[in-house]
């Protein structure tokens, strides 16, 4: 650790930690980040840039870092890319790797992009990869992705656990620097429930980087420790370190992502890896500080060029000397503070070159630098940097009185630290839709009017100076508690520190005329956006900052332009002769820093991602090799193969089993709604198209439901169980929406009706027994019911028992055969299924699945709403107009279906289709056309909705909607297919037993 | 995630609610005398208000009740919620 100072810093010098970076072993100290540990080992080259593959070092010291992205790998399933080395805490045995390089960081083939860079200007992707379209997917994008890419995702499922927690509090304080700590302390004093969160491992914010600051007469970090101890001792206060407030959502809903195990060498089994906190706070205090801006000059991205505040942090917090011979480039007083502290690490400060003129340089840092006898050069600028993988020198320029720049010396140095002033971190304020206003004096956008119950405090609203920031925080904390209805007063706090302000120099540094074109000065380091790109975008007519952002991609990388935003604005302002405030800001969006998918998914993965609904026959079907399909959340058995049967063979056998003897089918998934009340019949009269008042008790009827636009919405059998009680069935998929629609009309349109509805889908299990032998099967098990055709005719309902279980027996058929649907309380569903199966053995009863059910009903022309209808078919189009109660004054859809367009003769109507070749099964969805061999374009007059091979009929059958279909009976139409037209004959939708002889037995 | 005030249950988080479109769109109850224009108005034509807007919501994962709200479409925020049958007047909000 050649660059480690001998004393100082917050690292634990007694705890050495071994880790590897790009396969090489290094030693760091407990308390180090990967960045500070690498710098302590003299390693500055950390990665390659996104577009040009330029060598990159460490620019910052926290979440603002755009360059030093690394991948940390624990094992094949735990490989996390795109982590900022400045935030990664090292642990014993950590394996970290650089990104964007091949074969090695020092020699990277992709760096050829740097040589080709004249061909990679702003908008390059937009301009170049336009044509041909298919090349985009096949050629360009994979190549670009392979060449660029930000890290590699793990290939195995994430084995870790992620927790989520909802929590309420009176005051949420974001940021535990001086203002945030003071705010939390003041708010806590009121008795408020307070949450204090900070993205860093250690709390203290800017104070962690101070050498000599004091608060209330104590060394600043002693005051921090004292304040935190008292907050942690308060049961109403929750202190969350390593926790990023990443998003500010409406009504003070703030998302926090807490990382619990990322910093540990071995992760305890009882801890989730991360926890997503969803905080609902009465009041929010944003004490998010600020981020130092880079200066923009050619070569400002070469490893060894670093933010001054970051260099100061490495010196004071981590005991790391970032260079031996350092040039300081100052655009603000903060650079002087850094120069003084860097010189105290034993490094040589070769020069402090200040871009400002003599008279405007002032402040405590300047005074300290002067008394430390550091060499200060005002009116200076940087014309370039020498060195490739590491800084070797700073090429100075001198700004004359006329503003012209002349070349100066090259200062030999291994490190350049720079400060362009600070940008207050207004991200969360802006996410909360708070307004920003530009402060000309400070050169910063500051929080203005708020929309949410939130307030900013300290540096994040432009209040600089330790004492001022502390008291601003305390005042904000007390005010937040008061706004939440609690009372407290903030006691004034005293402090001393160097206190550089936040003003600085947004935009590019002055350059020699003509220098800018050939050399790259980076604005957005992560997306490799240079001053030239921004200038080019403006030359090409992009004026709005939002357009410039998208065209150049400045601010669009994973760091969302934390260090680049204001500089980009400064350049745009300067080149377009606008004031910075006029250019305006781009929108801040969540997340502040990237959040893992794991945190968002939480427990909602695998089996817990979506609930699974299982029918009573589920286990029985599984045991017999049943093949399932998903219908909504339901698992339904599609077919029950025997031996090596494929689906066609199984369905063929199942259909014939039903037609020739008897079959059984689990119909429990049907939606069921109980409609009760003295106006139940009147409600159904108004709701369904049918007439219900005439339906007798223990009788059932097939109902059609339309929407008010007159189109079919759902269907199902409805049973009248009593004068004031109906059992309504719906389609499997329609249960919830029909229930919601009923509630809508009951609650809003027909408040005059006395009616209540209850969903009973889960309360009833249903087994359909269908086939000529159905009655004989039932006779073996049903007691107390006369099953004769006279006593229980088609659509009749009876109540009885099976093995003592109460059953409701409905004589209904969705197959065209003699059929019954047996309803039992759901907990008896499995018993019922097994009882029917046992009773059916002597008739070789065939359990059948949804596929055979579909074929059997199609043979009879029974529609499936949602398959044969699509929301644009009226009951007449679907061939079920007979269901409409013609004498009713009103029902849902009555007026709608009277519209002329809905009664036009040429509407698409449901018809049957028979192929000329009986072996040909049409494709569902295939288009129907009038003429064969027609010229393109041609009219499509309909499409196939259902199509099967019918075992019963020994040929294919299909249903289709066809314009004026019922007037085209026996005509030949054509189904257009890629392999050629298929001629079809238009027929009735009822292919089997049109007289219904098999039903009425 | 908004906090929405159900007039029956109180303040609850947005995922408990479902949006129900524009409020106070009366369903023509006499099909025989409903004109084509009235029908189209009811079925298909809705306001696209910038600002305060009366709309229907349902506390679908709560009490199940429909209610009405006045919401500012420029901010997403609710101004007030009220029960079916009520109709509070507010300056700047359409009928
Ligand atoms: Zn409610």
């Amino acid at each position: 650790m050649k660059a480690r100072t001998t004393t100082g810093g917050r690292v634990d010098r007694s705890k050495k930690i071994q880790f590897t970076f790009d396969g090489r072993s290094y030693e760091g100290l407990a308390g180090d980040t990967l960045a500070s540990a690498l710098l302590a080992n003299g390693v500055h080259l950390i990665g390659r840039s996104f577009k040009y593959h330029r060598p990159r070092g460490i620019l910052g010291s926290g979440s603002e870092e755009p360059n030093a992205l690394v991948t940390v790998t624990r094992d094949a399933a735990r490989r996390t890319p795109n982590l900022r080395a400045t935030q990664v805490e090292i642990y014993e045995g950590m394996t970290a790797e650089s990104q964007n390089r091949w074969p090695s960081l020092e020699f990277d083939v992709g760096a050829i992009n740097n040589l080709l860079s004249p061909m990679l200007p702003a908008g390059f992707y937009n301009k170049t990869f336009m044509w041909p379209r298919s090349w985009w997917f096949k050629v360009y994008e994979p190549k670009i992705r392979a060449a660029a890419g930000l890290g590699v995702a793990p290939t195995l499922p994430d084995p870790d656990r992620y927790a989520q927690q909802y929590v309420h509090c009176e005051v949420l304080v974001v940021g535990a620097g001086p203002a945030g700590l003071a705010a939390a302390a003041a708010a806590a004093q009121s008795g408020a429930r307070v949450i204090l969160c900070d993205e860093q491992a250690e709390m203290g914010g800017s104070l962690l980087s101070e050498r000599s600051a004091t608060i209330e007469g104590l060394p600043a970090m002693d005051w921090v420790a004292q304040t935190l101890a008292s907050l942690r001792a308060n049961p109403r206060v929750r202190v969350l370190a390593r926790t990023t407030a990443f998003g500010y959502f409406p009504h003070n809903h703030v998302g926090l992502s807490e990382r619990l195990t990322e910093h540990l060498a071995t992760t305890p089994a009882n801890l989730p890896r991360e926890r997503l906190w969803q905080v609902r706070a009465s009041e929010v205090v944003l004490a998010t500080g600020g981020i130092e801006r880079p200066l923009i000059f050619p070569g400002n991205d070469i490893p060894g060029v670093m933010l001054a505040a970051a260099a100061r942090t490495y010196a004071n917090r981590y005991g790391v000397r970032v260079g031996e011979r350092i040039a300081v480039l100052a655009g603000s007083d903060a650079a002087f503070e850094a120069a003084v502290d860097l010189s105290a690490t034993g490094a040589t400060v070769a020069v402090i070159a200040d871009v400002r003129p003599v008279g405007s340089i002032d402040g405590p840092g300047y005074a300290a630098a002067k008394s430390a006898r550091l060499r200060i050069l005002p009116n200076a600028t940087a014309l370039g940097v020498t060195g490739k993988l590491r800084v070797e020198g700073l090429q100075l320029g001198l700004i004359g009185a006329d503003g012209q720049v002349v070349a100066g010396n090259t200062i030999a140095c291994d490190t350049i630290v720079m400060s362009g002033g600070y940008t207050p971190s207004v991200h969360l304020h802006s996410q909360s839709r708070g307004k920003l206003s530009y402060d000309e004096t400070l050169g910063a956008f500051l929080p203005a009017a708020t929309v949410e119950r939130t307030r900013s405090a300290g540096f994040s609203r432009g209040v600089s100076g330790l004492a001022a920031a502390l008291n601003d925080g305390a005042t904000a904390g007390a005010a937040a508690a008061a706004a939440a209805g609690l009372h407290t007063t903030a006691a004034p706090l005293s402090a001393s520190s160097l206190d550089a302000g936040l003003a600085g120099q947004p935009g590019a540094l002055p350059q020699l005329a003509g220098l800018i074109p050939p050399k790259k000065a980076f604005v957005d380091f992560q997306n490799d956006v240079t001053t030239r790109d921004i200038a080019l975008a403006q030359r090409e007519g992009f004026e709005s900052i939002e357009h410039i952002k998208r065209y150049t991609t400045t601010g669009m990388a994973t760091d969302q332009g934390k260090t680049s935003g204001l500089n980009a604005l400064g350049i745009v302002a300067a080149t377009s002769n606008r004031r910075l405030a006029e250019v305006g800001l781009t929108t801040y969006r969540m997340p502040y820093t990237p959040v893992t998918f794991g945190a968002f998914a939480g427990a909602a993965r695998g089996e817990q991602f979506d609930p699974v609904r299982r029918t009573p026959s589920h286990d029985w079907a599984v045991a017999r090799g049943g093949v399932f399909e998903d219908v909504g959340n339901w698992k339904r058995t599609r077919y029950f193969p025997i031996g090596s049967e494929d689906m066609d063979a199984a369905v063929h056998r199942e259909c014939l089993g039903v037609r020739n003897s008897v079959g059984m089918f689990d119909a429990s998934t049907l939606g069921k709604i109980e409609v009760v009340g003295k106006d139940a019949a009147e409600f159904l009269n108004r709701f369904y198209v049918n007439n219900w008042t005439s339906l007798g008790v223990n009788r059932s009827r097939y109902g059609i439901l339309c929407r008010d636009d007159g189109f079919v919405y759902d269907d199902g059998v409805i049973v009248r169980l009593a004068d004031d009680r109906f059992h309504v069935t719906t389609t499997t998929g329609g249960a919830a929406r029909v229930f919601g629609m009923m509630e809508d009309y009951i609650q809003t349109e027909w408040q005059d009706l006395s009616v209540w509805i209850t969903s009973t889908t889960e309360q009833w299990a249903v087994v359909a027994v269908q086939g000529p032998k159905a009655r004989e099967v039932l006779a073996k098990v049903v007691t107390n019911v006369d099953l004769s055709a006279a006593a229980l005719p088609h659509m009749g309902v009876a109540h009885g028992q099976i093995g003592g279980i109460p059953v409701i027996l409905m004589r209904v058929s969705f197959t065209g055969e003699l059929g019954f649907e047996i309803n039992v309380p759901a907990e008896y569903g499995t018993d019922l299924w097994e009882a029917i199966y046992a009773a059916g053995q002597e008739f070789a009863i065939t359990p059948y699945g949804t596929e055979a059910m579909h074929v059997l009903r199609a043979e009879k022309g029974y529609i499936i709403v949602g398959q044969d209808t699509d929301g644009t078919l009226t009951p007449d189009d679907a061939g079920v107009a007979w269901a409409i109660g013609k004498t009713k004054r009103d029902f849902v859809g009555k007026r709608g279906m009277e519209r002329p367009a809905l009664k036009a003769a040429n509407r698409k109507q449901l018809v049957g289709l028979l192929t000329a070749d009986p072996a040909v099964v049409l494709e569902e969805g295939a288009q129907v056309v009038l003429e064969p061999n027609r010229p393109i374009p041609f009219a499509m007059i309909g499409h196939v909705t259902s199509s099967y091979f019918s075992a019963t009929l020994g040929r294919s059958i299909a249903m289709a909607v066809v314009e004026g279909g019922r007037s085209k009976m026996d005509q030949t139409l054509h189904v257009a297919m890629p392999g050629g037209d298929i001629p079809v004959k238009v027929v009735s939708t009822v292919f089997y037993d049109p007289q219904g002889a098999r039903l009425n037995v | 995630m908004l906090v929405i005030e159900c007039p029956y249950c109180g303040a609850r988080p947005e995922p408990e609610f479902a949006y129900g479109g524009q409020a106070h769109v009366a369903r023509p109850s006499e099909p025989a005398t409903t004109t084509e224009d009235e029908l189209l108005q009811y079925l298909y034509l809705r306001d696209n208000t910038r600002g305060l807007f009366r709309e229907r919501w349902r506390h679908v994962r709560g009490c199940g009740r429909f209610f009405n709200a006045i919401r500012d479409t420029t901010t997403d925020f609710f101004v007030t919620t009220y029960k079916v049958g009520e109709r509070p007047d507010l300056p700047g909000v359409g009928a």
Side-chain angles (χ1 to χ4, degrees):
Chain A
M1 292 186 279
K2 59 183 179 178
R4 188 76 72 175
T5 59
T6 48
T7 57
R10 306 194 57 76
V11 285
D12 185 344
R13 288 167 195 269
S14 69
K15 286 193 191 146
K16 298 196 175 4
I17 291 175
Q18 298 293 328
F19 67 97
T20 68
F21 179 68
D22 281 350
R24 282 188 61 182
S25 201
Y26 296 97
E27 189 176 279
L29 297 176
D32 262 329
T33 62
L34 182 59
S36 69
L38 286 170
L39 290 170
N41 285 282
V43 177
H44 277 253
L45 175 61
I46 307 288
R48 289 272 175 171
S49 70
F50 182 67
K51 188 162 144 192
Y52 300 128
H53 286 238
R54 283 170 66 101
R56 286 287 165 78
I58 295 166
L59 183 77
S61 60
S63 61
E64 77 284 2
E65 176 61 41
N67 286 337
L69 297 185
V70 296
T71 297
V72 174
T73 306
R74 284 184 198 264
D75 53 47
R78 295 180 177 86
R79 179 171 65 209
T80 314
N82 304 333
L83 294 171
R84 292 152 298 282
T86 50
Q87 285 188 297
V88 172
E89 299 170 60
I90 56 167
Y91 52 78
E92 187 62 37
M94 168 180 277
T95 305
E97 285 172 289
S98 60
Q99 299 181 171
N100 281 3
R101 81 304 190 257
W102 184 84
S104 76
L105 191 50
E106 288 77 13
F107 178 78
D108 170 36
V109 168
I112 193 114
N113 283 2
N114 194 25
L115 305 174
L116 298 175
S117 65
M119 294 157 62
L120 296 170
F124 173 71
Y125 297 146
N126 314 35
K127 289 168 182 164
T128 310
F129 301 116
M130 295 281 284
W131 182 92
R133 193 177 168 76
S134 63
W135 277 48
W136 178 252
F137 305 102
K138 290 179 191 151
V139 182
Y140 300 140
E141 200 181 1
K143 292 283 180 225
I144 292 167
R145 288 209 177 281
L150 280 171
V152 179
T155 50
L156 295 177
D158 189 335
D160 290 314
R161 196 160 58 82
Y162 295 82
Q164 294 187 335
Q165 188 149 351
Y166 291 81
V167 65
H168 291 258
C169 66
E170 276 78 52
V171 181
L172 167 67
V173 180
V174 179
L181 284 166
Q189 212 156 42
S190 73
R193 289 173 300 171
V194 176
I195 295 174
L196 171 66
C197 70
D198 192 282
E199 63 179 353
Q200 298 207 61
E202 192 175 5
M203 297 202 152
S206 61
L207 298 173
L208 295 163
S209 305
E210 292 291 336
R211 262 200 313 155
S212 56
T214 64
I215 299 172
E216 294 285 275
L218 295 170
M221 284 311 294
D222 289 357
W223 177 85
V224 170
Q226 213 173 70
T227 306
L228 281 172
S230 117
L231 287 171
R232 289 198 167 106
N234 183 335
R236 298 177 74 73
V237 177
R238 198 188 292 272
V239 177
L240 298 171
R242 300 188 177 91
T243 303
T244 306
F246 65 85
Y248 202 130
F249 308 99
H251 287 167
N252 273 4
H253 173 215
V254 182
L256 316 179
S257 110
E258 182 184 15
R259 298 163 291 278
L260 289 99
T261 63
E262 293 301 281
H263 61 293
L264 301 174
T266 51
T267 59
N270 66 325
L271 278 187
R273 184 169 175 179
E274 296 179 31
R275 184 180 285 128
L276 182 77
W277 293 88
Q278 303 211 46
V279 180
R280 189 75 77 169
S282 306
E283 298 287 327
V284 175
V285 177
L286 300 172
T288 46
I291 294 170
E292 197 169 29
R293 283 192 301 279
L295 290 168
I296 300 183
F297 54 93
N300 63 345
D301 66 325
I302 291 170
V305 180
M306 182 181 286
L307 290 169
R312 185 166 174 256
T313 294
Y314 290 117
N316 294 346
R317 180 172 174 185
Y318 299 105
V320 172
R321 195 164 52 244
V322 296
E324 299 303 326
R325 192 176 161 80
I326 301 172
V328 178
L329 202 52
S332 80
D333 197 43
F336 291 88
E337 276 183 11
V340 172
D341 286 0
L342 293 178
S343 139
T345 64
T348 304
V349 173
V351 69
I352 304 175
D354 199 314
V355 301
R356 299 168 296 179
V358 173
S360 68
I361 307 173
D362 200 5
Y366 176 61
K370 265 204 307 195
S371 62
R373 300 178 174 279
L374 299 179
R375 182 185 163 211
I376 300 167
L377 184 67
N379 279 322
T381 184
L383 297 181
V385 177
T386 57
K388 270 195 149 160
L389 298 181
R390 178 76 192 264
V391 168
E392 288 166 14
L394 171 63
Q395 299 167 308
L396 286 177
L398 306 172
I399 308 170
D402 55 357
Q404 293 294 307
V405 175
V406 296
N409 297 338
T410 294
I411 307 284
C413 57
D414 59 14
T415 304
I416 299 167
V417 305
M418 58 187 169
S419 175
Y422 278 85
T423 303
S425 290
V426 295
H427 306 71
L428 291 173
H429 167 82
S430 184
Q431 280 186 33
S432 80
R433 298 194 289 194
K435 297 271 180 287
L436 296 168
S437 69
Y438 189 71
D439 185 306
E440 299 282 353
T441 325
L442 297 177
F445 284 95
L446 299 181
T450 58
V451 172
E452 296 284 351
R453 294 175 62 138
T454 188
R455 65 206 72 221
S456 297
F459 210 70
S460 69
R461 72 176 193 103
V463 175
S464 62
L466 182 52
L470 279 166
N471 286 303
D472 197 49
T475 307
L486 296 150
H487 293 288
T488 185
T489 47
L493 292 157
S494 66
S496 75
S497 75
L498 275 183
D499 290 348
L502 55 80
Q505 305 279 313
L509 290 184
Q511 298 293 306
L512 286 172
L515 183 67
I516 287 183
K519 290 221 180 177
K520 283 196 204 65
F522 284 87
V523 182
D524 183 317
F525 292 83
Q526 198 170 109
N527 262 354
D528 271 351
V529 180
T530 66
T531 49
R532 272 182 293 160
D533 295 322
I534 294 176
L536 176 66
Q538 290 177 278
R539 277 206 308 279
E540 295 192 354
F542 294 91
E543 286 177 11
S544 152
I545 189 65
E546 293 281 4
H547 291 157
I548 292 169
K549 168 181 165 174
R550 282 158 184 77
Y551 194 58
T552 63
T553 74
T554 190
M556 290 174 69
T558 67
D559 66 337
Q560 294 200 52
K562 288 185 177 61
T563 53
S564 64
L566 207 75
N567 277 333
L569 290 185
I571 294 167
V572 171
T575 43
S576 62
N577 286 317
R578 283 182 283 176
R579 289 188 307 115
L580 210 142
E582 289 175 73
V583 179
L585 273 174
T586 56
T587 311
Y588 289 89
R589 299 183 198 283
M590 80 103 184
Y592 179 72
T593 48
V595 182
T596 63
F597 282 117
F600 285 121
R605 51 193 282 187
E607 291 214 317
Q608 294 185 61
F609 180 70
D610 206 18
V612 171
R613 303 175 86 180
R614 296 186 175 87
T615 66
S617 65
H618 187 89
D619 293 345
W620 192 96
V622 169
R624 276 159 185 79
V627 176
F628 288 83
E629 66 172 337
D630 290 334
V631 180
N633 286 30
W634 289 105
K635 296 282 177 203
R636 300 194 76 179
T637 314
R638 195 170 184 192
Y639 57 97
F640 294 85
I642 293 174
S644 60
E645 280 181 339
D646 61 6
M647 186 172 85
D648 286 347
V651 170
H652 193 95
R653 174 182 50 73
E654 289 173 17
C655 288
L656 292 179
V658 173
R659 294 269 182 246
N660 296 334
S661 179
V662 62
M664 60 189 291
F665 175 74
D666 191 333
S668 303
T669 64
L670 279 182
K672 302 167 208 82
I673 300 167
E674 190 153 288
V675 177
V676 178
K678 76 175 170 59
D679 295 322
E682 172 61 15
F683 166 68
L684 291 176
N685 252 359
R686 294 188 197 177
F687 200 68
Y688 279 79
V689 303
N690 318 62
N691 189 339
W692 299 100
T693 38
S694 62
L695 184 67
V697 172
N698 285 333
R699 298 290 299 170
S700 66
R701 186 167 284 168
Y702 170 71
I704 293 275
L705 173 65
C706 288
R707 296 178 307 189
D708 256 322
D709 56 16
F711 296 126
V712 174
Y713 192 59
D714 203 80
D715 68 349
V717 169
I718 298 178
V719 180
R720 189 167 204 166
L721 294 171
D723 273 347
D724 61 351
R725 183 176 300 262
F726 289 80
H727 176 92
V728 174
T729 66
T730 72
T731 58
T732 295
R737 61 171 180 260
V738 170
F739 188 87
M741 182 174 160
M742 284 185 177
E743 281 288 357
D744 193 348
Y745 280 79
I746 291 171
Q747 289 185 37
T748 66
E749 296 296 343
W750 302 324
Q751 292 189 302
D752 57 310
L753 295 182
S754 178
V755 61
W756 289 267
I757 63 172
T758 308
S759 167
T760 54
T761 303
E762 300 275 349
Q763 276 62 45
W764 294 105
V766 184
V767 177
V769 183
Q770 305 274 313
K773 303 288 185 194
R775 186 180 282 124
E776 289 166 68
V777 173
L778 258 62
K780 293 184 68 178
V781 290
V782 176
T783 49
N784 297 329
V785 177
D786 181 351
L787 293 168
S788 69
L792 187 56
H794 184 54
M795 301 310 272
V797 175
H799 302 261
Q801 287 88 36
I802 292 180
I805 306 168
V807 302
I808 302 178
L809 216 54
M810 302 173 185
R811 191 173 154 191
V812 291
S813 172
F814 200 44
T815 59
E817 301 295 333
L818 167 68
F820 301 86
E821 288 186 0
I822 310 167
N823 290 252
V824 294
E827 57 269 35
Y828 297 116
T830 308
D831 298 336
L832 173 68
W833 180 266
E834 285 172 357
I836 298 295
Y837 186 67
Q841 286 312 300
E842 71 177 81
F843 310 99
I845 194 165
T846 304
Y848 63 100
T850 50
E851 199 63 31
M853 177 270 281
H854 279 138
V855 178
L856 294 167
R857 64 91 204 175
E859 289 169 350
K860 286 291 295 179
Y862 297 149
I863 63 167
I864 290 182
V865 171
Q867 176 168 343
D868 301 301
T869 72
D870 61 1
T872 68
L873 259 63
T874 64
D876 185 59
D877 299 338
V880 291
W882 53 265
I884 297 171
K886 308 269 187 316
T887 58
K888 290 197 292 183
R889 180 182 61 81
D890 185 22
F891 60 84
V892 176
K894 180 178 172 72
R895 179 64 183 85
M897 60 183 76
E898 294 302 317
R899 292 174 53 204
L902 272 65
K903 297 170 83 174
N906 209 34
R907 287 189 60 76
K908 285 183 183 169
Q909 294 163 338
L910 195 68
V911 292
L913 296 182
L914 287 178
T915 52
D917 178 349
V920 171
V921 180
L922 296 171
E923 254 182 60
E924 289 174 358
Q927 296 294 325
V928 179
V929 297
L930 264 177
E931 300 291 339
N933 309 318
R934 64 243 153 239
I936 296 171
F938 53 87
M940 290 166 285
I941 61 167
H943 67 273
V944 178
T945 62
S946 291
S947 177
Y948 311 93
F949 188 84
S950 161
T952 312
L953 301 166
R955 62 153 302 137
S956 68
I957 57 170
M959 289 198 273
V961 289
V962 174
E963 286 177 8
R966 289 200 293 268
S967 68
K968 292 185 168 63
M969 282 297 152
D970 296 325
Q971 287 185 24
T972 296
L973 302 177
H974 300 269
V975 172
M977 293 299 291
D981 287 349
I982 300 169
V984 292
K985 192 171 80 167
V986 180
V987 297
S988 153
T989 55
V990 186
F991 298 94
Y992 183 64
D993 186 25
Q995 283 74 41
R998 303 180 66 87
L999 206 57
N1000 297 304
V1001 290
Chain B
M1 194 203 296
L2 293 166
V3 173
I4 298 174
E5 186 84 16
C6 171
Y8 305 96
C9 305
R12 292 286 194 278
E14 185 181 336
E16 293 185 11
F17 296 84
Y19 184 66
Q22 183 172 349
H24 306 296
V25 178
R27 177 176 182 273
S29 56
E30 291 294 343
T33 56
T34 303
T35 67
E36 204 73 354
D37 268 2
E38 286 165 345
L39 182 70
L40 295 184
Q41 190 74 38
Y42 163 67
L43 287 177
Y44 299 119
L45 298 178
R46 295 293 180 269
D47 297 334
N48 187 18
T49 303
R50 186 179 194 282
L52 300 182
F53 185 53
R54 292 185 193 269
E55 61 193 19
R56 285 154 31 101
W57 284 79
R58 184 176 177 216
H59 193 188
V60 64
R61 290 170 195 87
C63 64
R65 304 285 284 269
F66 283 84
F67 59 89
N68 293 322
I70 298 174
R71 194 177 56 96
D72 188 337
T73 60
T74 63
T75 65
D76 264 3
F77 285 1
F78 286 76
V79 177
T80 186
T81 57
Y82 53 96
K83 296 176 181 178
V84 172
E86 298 173 353
R87 196 189 183 95
D89 281 325
L90 271 183
V93 58

